[in-house]
Amino acid sequence: MDNSILNNAIETLSEQFRNIHWSYLEVPPGSPREKTQLWPGDEKEDIMICVAHGSETNEMFHRQDFFFFNYAYKGDYGAVSYKYDNQITIHENECYIGQPYAGYAIQNRSPKEIIVGVLIKTDTFFKTFLPVLSSDAALFHFFLEPQTNEYSEEYIHLRFDDDIQVRTLLEMMIIEYANKREDTQAILRPMALTLFMQVARQYKRSIPIPENETLSDKIVRFMGEHTDVVTLKDIAQHFSYHPNYISTLLKRELGKSFSELLLEQRMQRATSLLKGTNLSIEEIAFMLGYSNSSNFYKAFREYYHCSPRDYC
């Protein structure tokens, strides 16, 4: 990559960042700390790329009405979240991912540090990104938590094992956004999706597996990671057992068949999606692995004794 093109793009976005006029909504009205940062980009844009050079001044504690991914591109920076008054250091090649409305502030910044931010509108995230990322149960609930608990105060702090791919993606996004064209947003969407798939991969690696995890626990976890496509045959092949043995094991240790466990996981996700997103019934059915919405309607009604629309 031509360093001069990248450096010019970084300077362009850094200058734009300094000139952003941030708008805030007080939540609740009159509260000095609960200021919510509104979408700072063009309303026609779904994704915004920001580059912030270091500064000696600390950021005001705030919330925001969008998802954000902040990456320590150069140097380290400090951050504070509202939960537990948690103060952490984001080291170079680490990221901080925030949900909508979670409290956050950048602090202890040095003049040499560079932070790259990827901002994504909430509706766009649910429509475009969540369907692909939903196979990871933990990540799925992290992204949906703000929709059922507006001030969930959760965040993700990750260091990437393979930072070259992440840095390359971000550099491509920086150059594209600094040199906008009519199709820039269309170009950014798959790159941002790839970025979050890297996040999902690293997030999965970062979660410790219990030492005393039983085979049935492993099977249920595997099912949760492949809810949309998993079959009993897939599980048998993955764990090198006969399907009949897997079926008997689950029934004996968990009291439920494979089909019952899969249905339970799908229905739990279905209610989260119905309550927490504006996705259509057809989109939710597809995300959960149903071949058509009619099959989803039937399964949902049998499980909850009401239709998906009535449940909402």
Side-chain angles (χ1 to χ4, degrees):
M1 183 178 295
D2 190 328
N3 285 338
S4 64
I5 294 176
L6 175 61
N7 291 336
N8 288 338
I10 288 175
E11 287 303 319
T12 296
L13 296 189
S14 181
E15 180 65 25
Q16 290 179 10
F17 185 80
R18 285 192 290 269
N19 293 324
I20 289 177
H21 175 69
W22 298 98
S23 298
Y24 293 89
L25 175 69
E26 290 189 353
V27 183
S31 171
R33 292 195 70 193
E34 303 299 304
K35 291 185 179 293
T36 298
Q37 205 172 71
L38 304 180
W39 179 253
D42 191 314
E43 280 304 314
K44 295 180 181 179
E45 294 182 342
D46 297 322
I47 299 171
M48 183 178 179
I49 311 300
C50 300
V51 175
H53 275 288
S55 171
E56 296 298 336
T57 59
N58 289 338
E59 187 177 41
M60 177 182 69
F61 186 88
H62 64 279
R63 302 180 185 276
Q64 70 292 318
D65 68 350
F66 47 83
F67 284 101
F68 71 89
F69 168 100
N70 279 351
Y71 183 80
Y73 184 78
K74 181 179 180 181
D76 307 337
Y77 74 91
V80 59
S81 70
Y82 195 77
K83 190 173 186 179
Y84 314 126
D85 286 331
N86 195 6
Q87 297 188 35
I88 59 177
T89 298
I90 315 300
H91 297 285
E92 188 169 311
N93 298 325
E94 294 181 350
C95 73
Y96 183 111
I97 303 173
Q99 305 164 313
Y101 305 110
Y104 176 75
I106 296 175
Q107 295 187 335
N108 304 322
R109 299 164 63 182
S110 70
K112 295 181 179 180
E113 137 253 301
I114 297 177
I115 302 172
V116 178
V118 179
L119 283 51
I120 304 175
K121 285 183 177 177
T122 304
D123 289 345
T124 300
F125 188 90
F126 287 137
K127 287 277 187 182
T128 306
F129 297 89
L130 188 65
V132 180
L133 300 172
S134 63
S135 61
D136 187 289
L139 206 59
F140 173 84
H141 290 295
F142 168 79
F143 286 127
L144 273 183
E145 178 67 11
Q147 303 308 106
T148 54
N149 177 12
E150 188 175 29
Y151 299 105
S152 63
E153 308 298 359
E154 297 293 343
Y155 65 88
I156 292 176
H157 177 199
L158 282 179
R159 181 174 186 84
F160 293 95
D161 294 335
D162 185 358
D163 59 277
I164 295 177
Q165 293 187 47
V166 173
R167 291 180 72 88
T168 301
L169 271 170
L170 289 170
E171 288 170 354
M172 292 170 64
M173 295 170 79
I174 288 169
I175 291 173
E176 179 63 37
Y177 195 77
N179 301 277
K180 294 181 188 177
R181 301 180 184 180
E182 289 185 1
D183 58 353
T184 287
Q185 288 294 307
I187 296 293
L188 287 175
R189 287 189 196 99
M191 286 196 283
L193 179 57
T194 303
L195 175 66
F196 274 92
M197 290 179 73
Q198 291 283 347
V199 167
R201 174 187 289 175
Q202 189 64 47
Y203 189 65
K204 184 177 178 180
R205 291 175 182 170
S206 71
I207 298 176
I209 297 174
E211 293 182 2
N212 59 346
E213 188 177 41
T214 65
L215 176 57
S216 58
D217 292 333
K218 292 178 181 178
I219 292 171
V220 171
R221 179 164 57 84
F222 182 83
M223 291 173 64
E225 294 169 354
H226 305 83
T227 306
D228 57 335
V229 295
V230 71
T231 65
L232 185 59
K233 183 179 179 180
D234 294 333
I235 292 174
Q237 289 180 341
H238 181 79
F239 292 98
S240 300
Y241 287 100
H242 193 279
N244 291 344
Y245 176 80
I246 297 294
S247 182
T248 302
L249 176 74
L250 293 175
K251 192 69 175 179
R252 183 179 70 245
E253 295 193 358
L254 302 179
K256 297 177 182 178
S257 67
F258 164 78
S259 297
E260 290 172 331
L261 289 168
L262 181 60
L263 178 63
E264 183 179 83
Q265 290 184 348
R266 284 179 168 175
M267 291 300 102
Q268 288 174 351
R269 290 198 180 195
T271 55
S272 295
L273 289 165
L274 287 167
K275 291 187 294 184
T277 74
N278 292 322
L279 294 172
S280 67
I281 302 297
E282 290 73 20
E283 289 170 322
I284 292 174
F286 177 76
M287 283 181 62
L288 297 175
Y290 288 94
S291 57
N292 57 66
S293 57
S294 297
N295 289 341
F296 171 63
Y297 266 101
K298 181 180 178 181
F300 193 96
R301 183 177 288 277
E302 289 178 354
Y303 194 84
Y304 287 109
H305 307 294
C306 67
S307 72
R309 297 190 191 283
D310 292 338
Y311 187 91
C312 296

